[in-house]
Amino acid sequence: RNNLITFPAFINALAPNFPEAGMTANFFGNDFTAYVYKDENGVWPGYVAKINAAANESDLATWLSNLEKADLSEFFVTSPGTFEAFKDGSLNSIPDRYAVGTNKGASFGYGTANGQLIIATSYNGMKEAFRLLGL
């Protein structure tokens, strides 16, 4: 059987302590891409999900703001350490938000572009995801 996990189900399983995980289906389609970026500092997962065309932008912004308050360590293969506060940034002129972990190489970042949400657990992984997505 070809039973693929959907992005909303994946987020619910990956981050069960994220109170807004049940709202994921309101903003994202079922299909997503999970990737792994490897460098000298470790193995860093990332995710790309298509934003539903009918998603309410204000509600999505609230969902993302709440994601920043979640237990982000659930997204990592190894402990990221303690996170600094989230900051506004940009990558290739695309706004993003990020928080740096105390363990070398760890950061949690996300940005939206071309109707997609890109989540990365390292800055270098985010840069590579943007490059491969043509952003």
Side-chain angles (χ1 to χ4, degrees), residues 113-128:
N114 295 342
Q116 301 172 98
L117 169 68
I118 301 99
I119 295 174
T121 58
S122 81
Y123 180 64
N124 287 335
M126 178 74 94
K127 289 190 298 187
E128 183 65 5

Side-chain angles (χ1 to χ4, degrees), residues 33-37 44-48 75 119-121:
T33 299
Y35 67 90
V36 175
Y37 177 80
W44 311 104
Y47 313 96
V48 180
F75 288 83
I119 295 174
T121 58

Side-chain angles (χ1 to χ4, degrees), residues 70-73 76 80-86 99-102 106-108 121:
D71 180 4
L72 299 175
S73 67
F76 289 78
T82 305
F83 285 100
E84 297 176 358
F86 269 85
V100 176
T102 53
S107 67
F108 186 91
T121 58

